Amino acid sequence: MRFEKLDLNLLVALDALIEDRNVSAASKRLHLSQPALSGALNRLRDFFGDELLAQNGRTMVLTPKAEELRGPVREALMFIRARITTPAAFEPATAERKFRIHVSDYAYDVLIADVTRKAMTLAPGVSFELFTPDRRMMERLERGEVDMIMTIDSYLPDTHPKQALYTDEHSVISWSEGRYAHALSAEEYLAAGHVIAAFGPDRLPAFTEAHLDHQGISRRVDISVQSFTSIPRSIVGTDRLATMYRRHAEYFAQFMPITIQRPPLSFPDIVESAQWHTSRAGDGAIRWLLDLCLEAEREMHGGQGERKCL
């Protein structure tokens, strides 16, 4: 499709090129071959009469024209995705829609797995593509590459609407046959070996670890794993401890020999929230998914989580 002699498909390529500043990375993002994206860049250069991306040593930098186009191109694509290609009305029984969501394995285990099961019955044409939270998730939300982020409320900015889903508290887990299968003292807790979770190539700390670091509290870390789900297996058969959100600990206690107890140190409760882009405020599918999450929460916890929400 062309508008004022511009192939609108080239805007998608330009957005990726501006963001990645690398033809190879942008081609992977768009699932295109490098020659195809190089050809798109050449057409963009012809249209705008500008290099857009210029070689600077081994890297590419944006020209002033590309910097000028960055915001308008993103806004135009968001408008098209939210207002033109996405229908406002949503009929679950007949709709075909893929939800792209950043969600942790913790939230998946305690809520979203049930949501996706219910969705299969209510909306058989709906599918889900789930990504772990990372440093770029807000950027992807801004670009319209994901529909929603589900994470701890304090991690979410106030620039877009959000909905609290449930609250949770911290707990300590240990092997049910180990030395710490009793009420822990603070001294025992700090002296024990611990299993923690750190995420992605940057080894981002979990909320629990960030809180302890902020309090200046250090522990002996025996194992650092890349997901919450890996923590209980690293506990069973050892005298290690781990600090987990209680709902997740209770989920694993259904089929693993672990003991759950209150931590001997003070931890704040957390609120798990969902956030979506402002431009999607009229998206009926987003509202349907949120309602499905809240309904699943009420069914599992009798509405307690909803009453505690922000």
Side-chain angles (χ1 to χ4, degrees):
M1 178 180 178
R2 291 183 179 274
F3 180 78
E4 299 291 338
K5 299 183 179 180
L6 173 65
D7 183 350
L8 295 183
N9 291 318
L10 293 178
L11 290 182
V12 178
L14 179 57
D15 183 53
L17 287 164
I18 288 175
E19 189 58 39
D20 291 321
R21 306 182 191 194
N22 182 285
V23 172
S24 176
S27 65
K28 290 179 181 178
R29 179 196 292 268
L30 298 177
H31 306 290
L32 294 174
S33 66
Q34 288 191 43
L37 195 58
S38 294
L41 177 56
N42 288 332
R43 293 195 296 276
L44 285 162
R45 285 167 168 167
D46 289 341
F47 181 85
F48 289 106
D50 188 270
E51 280 295 294
L52 299 175
L53 276 79
Q55 199 71 37
N56 183 14
R58 294 186 177 181
T59 62
M60 300 191 81
V61 296
L62 301 182
T63 66
K65 180 63 176 179
E67 291 283 6
E68 175 189 328
L69 290 169
R70 185 175 193 163
V73 167
R74 178 173 295 179
E75 290 173 9
L77 290 176
M78 279 301 302
F79 182 86
I80 292 170
R81 287 167 179 150
R83 302 295 180 87
I84 298 177
T85 61
T86 301
F90 183 75
E91 296 295 336
T94 57
E96 292 190 3
R97 174 75 178 262
K98 175 183 283 188
F99 289 105
R100 296 176 173 86
I101 305 170
H102 276 286
V103 60
S104 69
D105 56 327
Y106 152 65
Y108 180 82
D109 285 341
V110 305
L111 179 65
I112 303 306
D114 287 293
V115 169
T116 59
R117 279 193 289 271
K118 289 175 69 70
M120 185 176 181
T121 300
L122 299 173
V126 163
S127 61
F128 295 83
E129 186 173 5
L130 306 179
F131 308 89
T132 55
D134 59 29
R135 291 189 186 277
R136 299 187 65 186
M137 62 185 182
M138 284 308 305
E139 172 193 314
R140 294 190 184 102
L141 187 74
E142 293 284 357
R143 292 167 57 87
E145 294 179 356
V146 296
D147 298 292
M148 191 178 292
I149 294 171
M150 294 181 180
T151 189
I152 294 175
D153 188 85
S154 58
Y155 289 169
L156 297 172
D158 295 326
T159 49
H160 297 289
K162 56 184 178 179
Q163 168 74 58
L165 302 175
Y166 61 85
T167 62
D168 206 351
E169 63 183 11
H170 286 78
S171 67
V172 177
I173 65 169
S174 60
W175 181 36
S176 58
E177 298 180 29
R179 63 182 294 191
Y180 294 122
H182 61 261
L184 284 168
S185 68
E187 291 75 17
E188 288 176 315
Y189 177 83
L190 294 174
H194 289 257
V195 179
I196 68 169
F199 306 97
D202 296 328
R203 308 303 288 160
L204 298 176
F207 176 87
T208 304
E209 310 315 316
H211 169 74
L212 290 173
D213 288 345
H214 182 72
Q215 299 294 316
I217 298 173
S218 61
R219 299 168 299 166
R220 190 182 86 234
V221 175
D222 283 357
I223 302 179
S224 176
V225 295
Q226 296 195 49
S227 68
F228 292 118
T229 302
S230 300
I231 289 177
R233 288 188 178 276
S234 302
I235 294 295
V236 174
T238 78
D239 287 326
R240 301 185 184 107
L241 301 175
T243 306
M244 297 186 73
Y245 303 127
R246 178 169 287 274
R247 291 190 184 201
H248 214 188
E250 290 173 347
Y251 167 80
F252 285 109
Q254 296 176 87
F255 50 86
M256 297 186 73
I258 59 174
T259 296
I260 306 171
Q261 55 184 290
R262 291 185 177 277
L265 305 180
S266 177
F267 289 90
D269 289 352
I270 61 104
V271 177
E272 188 79 4
S273 291
Q275 186 165 57
W276 58 100
H277 198 281
T278 302
S279 65
R280 300 283 181 90
D283 187 342
I286 296 291
R287 186 66 258 172
W288 174 82
L289 181 59
L290 289 168
D291 288 343
L292 200 62
C293 289
L294 294 173
E295 180 183 346
E297 163 61 18
R298 284 192 296 270
E299 290 177 356
M300 287 187 291
H301 297 281
Q304 295 178 5
E306 187 181 358
R307 288 197 295 271
K308 291 181 181 179
C309 287
L310 296 178

